Amino acid sequence: MASSLLLSNPFLTSPHHPNNLTRRQQPLTLRPSSAFTLLSLTKPSNNNNNPKFLKPTLPFLGFNKFSTRISTRDADTDTSVPPPLVGEDSAAFELGKQKVSSWIYFSLILGVVLFVLGVAWIDNSTGFGKDFISAVSSLSESPEVVMFILILIFATVHSGLASLRDMARKLIGERAFRVLFAGVSLPLAVSTVVYFINHRYDGIQLWELQSAPAVHQLVWLSNFISFLFLYPSTFNLLEVAAVDKPKMHLWETGIMRITRHPQMVGQVMWCLAHTVWIGNSVTVAASLGLIGHHLFGVWNGDRRLATRYGEAFEAVKKRTSIVPFAAILDGRQKLPKDYYKEFLRLPYLSITALTLGAYFAHPLMQAASFRLHW
């Protein structure tokens, strides 16, 4: 948001192994202690590739069975190499495989979408955005309630359409569904964000920490890190714009090794940072709504991936965690020695640049939202 999906048993050897043998087919060898250093336990057969076990020179009854058990246990408990991937390598981007025509189409589609969004929704003289905000605002005089309702509407539409994806793609196709999904979700998201910006200082002030030492630095750092978690699903921009055929991906590398649901973690971090900084009832209402929506997305996302990928998802689920770093700490997730390289990729660098740009563009976003008077 492209790598190939490997639908294989995670307990088999890597498909890239030179012999491509399963553990039962590989010769089992005992790591000898000093008492058995002169023993030779395996010998290739002349007739086939299966090893023949020689009788040990020392008269230990049942020694072959003992050595086999020890060798198997050693292989099963070897944690020096991470298991082969079952899901996809996230944020993989190869410049040589990119088509110039695809990115031209992407730029044209993005321009058309922004133009239509501006005319049909944002512009107060031609769009329906202001009328939508006015209709929701008429339900209550409380900005907290209006804020919560806007998030509830967006969450219901966004998660509801996502739940219907498998059925819809069979009826209208993946690309048409992507256009429908974005065409409905994007205006609602814009309305919710604009209302929050315009009313973020309404309501009851609960605390004031903006002048406290180190609070600004802590909030800024938390907000910056949150964006590295928030947008792993947008790595394949060509799929977002339906230039490439959209897919439901089973990511397994990068940020997914830390948490299986990075968008939820990123949203929680973003909400906590803004709630601490602003400290009023409207921000609390917005944070509760957004966090609740993403907690539901954890259950709904796992359910949809389990339905689509079955055993492959169960394998990924066993070696990942919802809580950040939990699978790493309890040993279920084995990080590669060069794990940092999974982040030194163009999509992560682009998110870093966009996050910094969004921070410095805060005054522009606030001014644009204020002019709408939503």
Side-chain angles (χ1 to χ4, degrees):
M1 147 199 21
S3 29
S4 60
L5 176 64
L6 174 62
L7 295 176
S8 64
N9 190 321
F11 301 105
L12 298 181
T13 57
S14 169
H16 304 294
H17 190 282
N19 295 325
N20 199 23
L21 299 176
T22 64
R23 183 176 289 126
R24 289 187 178 182
Q25 293 172 311
Q26 296 174 4
L28 298 175
T29 59
L30 174 67
R31 299 178 180 177
S33 65
S34 58
F36 305 124
T37 54
L38 299 179
L39 289 177
S40 175
L41 297 180
T42 61
K43 177 181 179 182
S45 171
N46 294 327
N47 298 327
N48 53 57
N49 293 327
N50 294 325
K52 289 184 178 181
F53 286 88
L54 300 182
K55 295 182 180 180
T57 57
L58 296 178
F60 288 110
L61 183 63
F63 184 81
N64 288 337
K65 294 181 180 179
F66 171 76
S67 65
T68 302
R69 288 198 299 269
I70 294 295
S71 301
T72 304
R73 185 167 66 242
D74 287 345
D76 289 340
T77 58
D78 183 10
T79 59
S80 60
V81 179
L85 293 181
V86 175
E88 296 180 71
D89 185 16
S90 63
F93 185 89
E94 297 183 33
L95 188 60
K97 294 184 177 181
Q98 304 302 308
K99 296 180 180 179
V100 175
S101 59
S102 295
W103 288 102
I104 293 176
Y105 290 145
F106 172 81
S107 301
L108 292 174
I109 292 173
L110 180 62
V112 171
V113 168
L114 293 178
F115 175 78
V116 173
L117 181 66
V119 173
W121 195 260
I122 296 177
D123 193 318
N124 286 333
S125 61
T126 59
F128 296 95
K130 186 176 183 178
D131 294 335
F132 171 70
I133 293 293
S134 298
V136 176
S137 298
S138 66
L139 299 176
S140 175
E141 296 181 356
S142 168
E144 297 90 345
V145 173
V146 175
M147 185 77 257
F148 195 84
I149 292 175
L150 286 172
I151 294 175
L152 181 62
I153 293 173
F154 169 77
T156 301
V157 172
H158 189 269
S159 294
L161 286 175
S163 299
L164 296 174
R165 178 173 181 170
D166 284 341
M167 180 180 68
R169 69 187 180 91
K170 297 177 182 178
L171 296 176
I172 61 176
E174 289 280 11
R175 283 190 171 89
F177 174 78
R178 174 66 71 178
V179 172
L180 174 64
F181 182 80
V184 176
S185 299
L186 188 57
L188 297 178
V190 169
S191 297
T192 304
V193 171
V194 170
Y195 186 88
F196 173 76
I197 292 175
N198 285 344
H199 297 269
R200 67 193 185 283
Y201 288 116
D202 293 350
I204 303 171
Q205 193 67 35
L206 302 175
W207 57 80
E208 179 61 59
L209 298 176
Q210 293 186 6
S211 58
V215 169
H216 179 269
Q217 291 81 357
L218 179 62
V219 168
W220 187 93
L221 182 62
S222 299
N223 188 68
F224 177 80
I225 295 175
S226 74
F227 279 84
L228 296 178
F229 284 84
L230 268 170
Y231 294 108
S233 64
T234 59
F235 285 151
N236 293 348
L237 292 178
L238 296 180
E239 291 185 22
V240 173
V243 176
D244 289 347
K245 186 177 180 180
K247 304 173 184 177
M248 182 186 294
H249 293 275
L250 183 63
W251 303 119
E252 195 180 354
T253 63
I255 204 73
M256 311 302 284
R257 296 185 187 272
I258 297 175
T259 171
R260 191 169 67 253
H261 289 281
Q263 283 187 300
M264 180 274 294
V265 174
Q267 188 66 77
V268 170
M269 293 180 67
W270 185 94
C271 287
L272 292 179
H274 283 75
T275 301
V276 168
W277 182 250
I278 299 174
N280 66 7
S281 55
V282 170
T283 311
V284 170
S287 295
L288 290 176
L290 289 171
I291 292 173
H293 168 48
H294 281 77
L295 290 177
F296 171 79
V298 168
W299 170 83
N300 196 35
D302 278 357
R303 179 188 64 83
R304 293 167 56 217
L305 287 172
T307 301
R308 176 69 67 91
Y309 290 108
E311 292 183 2
F313 169 71
E314 293 301 325
V316 172
K317 184 178 179 180
K318 287 179 180 178
R319 56 195 187 208
T320 56
S321 61
I322 297 174
V323 178
F325 300 103
I328 298 173
L329 294 175
D330 65 21
R332 291 183 290 118
Q333 176 63 237
K334 307 298 180 184
L335 297 180
K337 293 181 179 180
D338 56 352
Y339 176 53
Y340 69 93
K341 293 182 179 179
E342 295 183 0
F343 290 92
L344 299 180
R345 294 173 171 178
L346 183 60
Y348 281 112
L349 297 178
S350 300
I351 290 174
T352 301
L354 291 173
T355 302
L356 293 173
Y359 172 76
F360 292 110
H362 265 56
L364 297 177
M365 292 188 291
Q366 293 167 5
S369 297
F370 178 77
R371 286 198 296 269
L372 292 175
H373 300 290
W374 287 4

